[in-house]
Amino acid sequence: LKTMHSSLRRTLVTVATQAHFRISRTYSSGIKYSILSLNAKAVHSFKWRQLSSGAEISAEKEQVTVVIEPATTKPDPPVLDNDMTPRQIVDYLNKHIVGQQDAKRAIAIAMRNRWRRMRLQQPLRDEVIPKNILMIGPTGVGKTEVARRLAKLAGAPFIKVEATKYTEVGFHGKDVDTIIKDLVEVAITLQRNKMREQLKEEVAAAVENRILDILAGDAAQSSTRESFRSLLREGALDDRTIEVDLPVGNQQRGGGDGKGGIQLGDFIVKMGDGMGLGGPKTQTKRLKIGACRPLLEDAEAERLISTETVERDALKNAEENGIVFIDEIDKIVDSHSYGADASAEGVQRDLLPLIEGCSIATKHGNVKTDHMLFVCSGAFHSCKPSDLLAELQGRLPIRVEMKALTENDLYLILTVPESNLIRQQVALLSTEGMEVSFADEAVREVARVAAEVNATVENIGARRLHTVLERIMDEVSFTADDYAGGRTFAVSAAYVRERVSSMLVKSDLSKYIL
C-alpha cells in the first residue's frame, strides 16, 4: 500500500482471516497494484477507501478488475528483531551491570540460540528446545537487573513474575497458568504496536485528510486544501477548535481480567459482530486540533488493524520467542515446613508441565510453551537449589552461580554504568542550578562504607549503596536552593565519613538489640 500513487491509494478492509490470498487490482489506465500474503480464510466483504481527496484522477470512474487467488508462498515464521551476537549482548550488559560474567554469557548464548533456531528448517526446528537457566546468588548482585535489561534487549514477548504471587491449583489465588496468559497479553500489545508503526504513514495521511475535510470542506479547491495543509503541518492550526466524531469508550478488543477464557463481554461482542451489530459507536466532540489528532490516529489505526491478525501473529510470536523470567523461586522451597503451604511445593509441581512444554488455554487461543525460554533466579539463603523438586531441577539444566559483591565491585557500580548513582545525584541537583562534584577518594569511601555495613549487618548487595548515598546527600539535597546560581559543592572523603559515622556506630550495636 505504501508504493501506491497518492491519488489512487486505497485500504482493503477484510473480515475473517486465516488462509493466504493474493489480491490484485487493475485500473483501465493499465496501473496494477497487488497485495501479497494477505491472510483471509474467506473475504466476506471488502472495500477500497480513497485516502486523499481532491485527486485529479477519479478512480471510481475507471473500470476496475479485482482478482483474488491463493498465494503461492507461505508466511515466514516470526523472526526476532534483535540479531545481536553473544559478544554484543555481553557488551551491552556490561554498560549497565558490573561483573557476573557467567550469567551474562549464559543469557547471551540463550538469546542467540533462539535466533539460530528460527533459521533452521523443519522438522529439525521443532526438535530444538531452549535450555532453561537457573541463576543462584545473594540479593543485590544483579539478578533482577539482568531481567530488566533483557526485557529491553529481547525484542520479543517478555514477562517477569515473582514466584510468590502464585498458589497451587485448587487454592484461592492465581495459578501458574496466569504467567502464560499474561505473556500472551504482552505479545498482543507488542504486535499491535509493531503493526501501528508499520501503518504510521498511512494513518498520518488519513488523519491529515480528515482534518482538512473538516477545515476546508469536501468541495474546496486544491489550492485551498494545500494552503490549509501547509498551515496544519507547521502547527499553526493546533489551537483551532473543530468538531470530530470519535469512538465512544475503548474500542480495542482482547482486554479482560487476565484470567483467560472467553469472558461474557467478549462473547457479546463476537455475537454482535456476527449479527452485523458490531460497528463502533461514535460521539461528536469539540476539541482543538492538537488534542484531537492523537485520538484520531488511534481510531484510524484500530480501524486499519485486524484484531484477528494481531492475535494470530502474537500467539505465534509468544510460542516461538517468548521469554519468562521467574524471580524469587527459592521462596517456594519450604524444606522445614510441617503443614500444607499453598505457595510452596505445590507451585513447583504446577511449574513442571509449564516449563517442560504444554498447551495453555487463553481467550485468544491455545498457546504451547514447548519453545519458550524460562529463566529462574533466587538467593537460596535458607535453602539449597537441591531442595527444589528433582524434576524441576532437571528442567533448568544451565545453572549459573552469581558472586557476592566486593568493595571494588561496589566502586565500579558507582562509576562504570552509564546511569550510575553518582551521575543521577549530580543530574538531579543540577536542576536546582547547583553543581556537585565527587572526588575519587569520596567515591571509594562510599564503596568501603557500603561493604562494611553489608559485612556487619546484613548483606543486601548493591542496594546498600542507595542507603549510604542518600545518607551522605541528605543535607545537600535539603539545602540545594542555597547553592543556586552555579555554586559548586565538592563531596570529599572526609565529608563522607562525617555523614555516615553515626550509621556505622548504630550498625555495630544493632546486632545486640532484640
Side-chain angles (χ1 to χ4, degrees):
L1 290 173
K2 292 182 180 180
T3 60
M4 298 176 71
H5 192 275
S6 60
S7 63
L8 302 175
R9 189 177 298 168
R10 303 291 183 268
T11 301
L12 182 67
V13 179
T14 64
V15 181
T17 56
Q18 295 210 353
H20 297 276
F21 286 82
R22 175 186 289 111
I23 297 184
S24 60
R25 182 175 186 178
T26 306
Y27 293 92
S28 58
S29 57
I31 304 175
K32 179 177 180 180
Y33 304 108
S34 63
I35 306 173
L36 300 180
S37 298
L38 178 71
N39 298 312
K41 181 178 181 181
V43 181
H44 295 304
S45 63
F46 61 88
K47 62 181 179 180
W48 301 89
R49 188 174 69 84
Q50 188 169 1
L51 296 182
S52 58
S53 302
E56 298 178 358
I57 302 176
S58 176
E60 285 71 16
K61 295 181 181 179
E62 295 190 45
Q63 182 179 358
V64 179
T65 303
V66 178
V67 180
I68 304 178
E69 57 184 355
T72 57
T73 58
K74 295 183 179 180
D76 295 329
V79 179
L80 287 173
D81 296 333
N82 179 10
D83 58 353
M84 296 174 67
T85 64
R87 188 176 290 106
Q88 291 173 335
I89 295 175
V90 171
D91 291 340
Y92 169 81
L93 294 177
N94 285 338
K95 296 179 181 178
H96 305 281
I97 304 172
V98 171
Q100 315 303 349
Q101 294 302 316
D102 292 341
K104 294 175 183 176
R105 287 172 62 93
I107 290 293
I109 294 172
M111 291 286 294
R112 187 63 174 182
N113 280 339
R114 301 177 71 70
W115 181 87
R116 293 164 179 163
R117 174 183 167 272
M118 299 310 299
R119 279 152 180 77
L120 296 178
Q121 300 296 324
Q122 297 287 10
L124 183 59
R125 184 195 302 155
D126 290 338
E127 297 297 327
V128 177
I129 60 175
K131 306 301 186 294
N132 300 315
I133 301 172
L134 175 62
M135 294 194 298
I136 305 165
T139 183
V141 298
K143 300 187 299 295
T144 306
E145 186 67 17
V146 168
R148 288 182 61 247
R149 299 300 171 181
L150 185 61
K152 298 180 180 180
L153 188 66
F158 177 94
I159 187 172
K160 175 186 175 294
V161 299
E162 305 289 335
T164 52
K165 289 174 54 178
Y166 303 96
T167 58
E168 185 179 355
V169 174
F171 288 84
H172 178 72
K174 293 183 178 181
D175 56 64
V176 295
D177 289 357
T178 313
I179 299 174
I180 305 303
K181 295 170 185 175
D182 291 342
L183 179 67
V184 170
E185 296 297 334
V186 172
I188 288 177
T189 302
L190 188 67
Q191 184 66 26
R192 189 180 296 276
N193 293 338
K194 182 178 180 180
M195 295 183 68
R196 289 188 60 166
E197 187 64 26
Q198 294 173 351
L199 295 171
K200 187 176 181 180
E201 295 181 5
E202 282 77 10
V203 169
V207 170
E208 184 179 80
N209 289 322
R210 183 173 175 182
I211 295 176
L212 289 176
D213 290 340
I214 298 174
L215 292 173
D218 296 335
Q221 297 181 355
S222 299
S223 58
T224 304
R225 290 182 61 87
E226 292 304 319
S227 299
F228 275 106
R229 191 188 304 273
S230 299
L231 294 173
L232 186 62
R233 292 179 177 179
E234 293 173 359
L237 303 177
D238 286 351
D239 293 332
R240 176 172 293 192
T241 302
I242 60 174
E243 288 188 357
V244 292
D245 294 332
L246 296 174
V248 178
N250 185 11
Q251 298 295 332
Q252 285 192 6
R253 310 278 176 86
D257 56 4
K259 296 181 180 178
I262 297 179
Q263 306 300 319
L264 179 60
D266 299 328
F267 178 75
I268 294 175
V269 169
K270 292 180 182 293
M271 289 294 294
D273 289 347
M275 299 174 63
L277 303 176
K281 298 180 181 179
T282 59
Q283 178 180 1
T284 302
K285 294 184 179 181
R286 290 181 57 84
L287 295 171
K288 293 183 178 180
I289 292 178
C292 74
R293 187 194 291 267
L295 301 178
L296 291 174
E297 290 178 350
D298 291 341
E300 184 68 18
E302 290 303 318
R303 192 190 65 79
L304 295 177
I305 294 174
S306 169
T307 302
E308 292 80 3
T309 303
V310 170
E311 292 181 352
R312 184 189 61 254
D313 294 345
L315 290 178
K316 190 67 175 177
N317 196 19
E319 288 181 344
E320 300 290 342
N321 301 320
I323 302 175
V324 178
F325 191 98
I326 304 178
D327 203 1
E328 308 291 354
I329 196 171
D330 58 312
K331 304 303 186 293
I332 60 174
V333 178
D334 194 359
S335 58
H336 304 291
S337 176
Y338 295 97
D341 188 349
S343 298
E345 189 170 315
V347 179
Q348 294 186 53
R349 287 194 297 268
D350 293 341
L351 281 173
L352 292 178
L354 203 68
I355 298 179
E356 178 68 18
C358 63
S359 181
I360 303 296
T362 71
K363 62 186 174 186
H364 305 290
N366 293 336
V367 182
K368 294 182 179 180
T369 65
D370 301 69
H371 297 102
M372 292 183 184
L373 174 65
F374 289 84
V375 181
C376 303
S377 72
F380 292 96
H381 285 308
S382 58
C383 60
K384 304 183 296 297
S386 58
D387 291 332
L388 290 168
L389 291 179
E391 298 87 349
L392 187 57
Q393 295 181 49
R395 288 163 172 78
L396 301 169
I398 300 179
R399 188 169 299 185
V400 179
E401 298 278 352
M402 303 188 75
K403 302 175 182 178
L405 299 176
T406 63
E407 180 180 332
N408 187 60
D409 291 333
L410 294 175
Y411 170 76
L412 294 176
I413 290 173
L414 289 173
T415 55
V416 172
E418 293 181 348
S419 56
N420 56 68
L421 297 179
I422 300 294
R423 182 174 297 177
Q424 292 177 26
Q425 287 287 344
V426 172
L428 286 173
L429 293 175
S430 66
T431 60
E432 299 268 5
M434 176 183 181
E435 296 182 7
V436 179
S437 62
F438 282 80
D440 186 69
E441 294 78 7
V443 178
R444 292 191 179 275
E445 184 65 19
V446 172
R448 186 194 66 79
V449 171
E452 182 178 343
V453 177
N454 277 342
T456 56
V457 182
E458 184 71 29
N459 189 0
I460 60 174
R463 294 185 179 93
R464 183 69 67 184
L465 293 172
H466 291 275
T467 304
V468 176
L469 204 55
E470 287 301 320
R471 175 66 66 90
I472 296 170
M473 302 301 296
D474 176 74
E475 183 67 24
V476 178
S477 297
F478 188 77
T479 60
D481 56 323
D482 296 340
Y483 293 85
R487 294 178 58 187
T488 303
F489 182 86
V491 179
S492 62
Y495 182 78
V496 171
R497 286 190 291 268
E498 176 188 347
R499 295 296 304 169
V500 302
S501 58
S502 59
M503 185 175 67
L504 291 177
V505 173
K506 291 179 181 178
S507 67
D508 291 335
L509 298 177
S510 62
K511 56 187 176 182
Y512 301 107
I513 299 176
L514 297 180

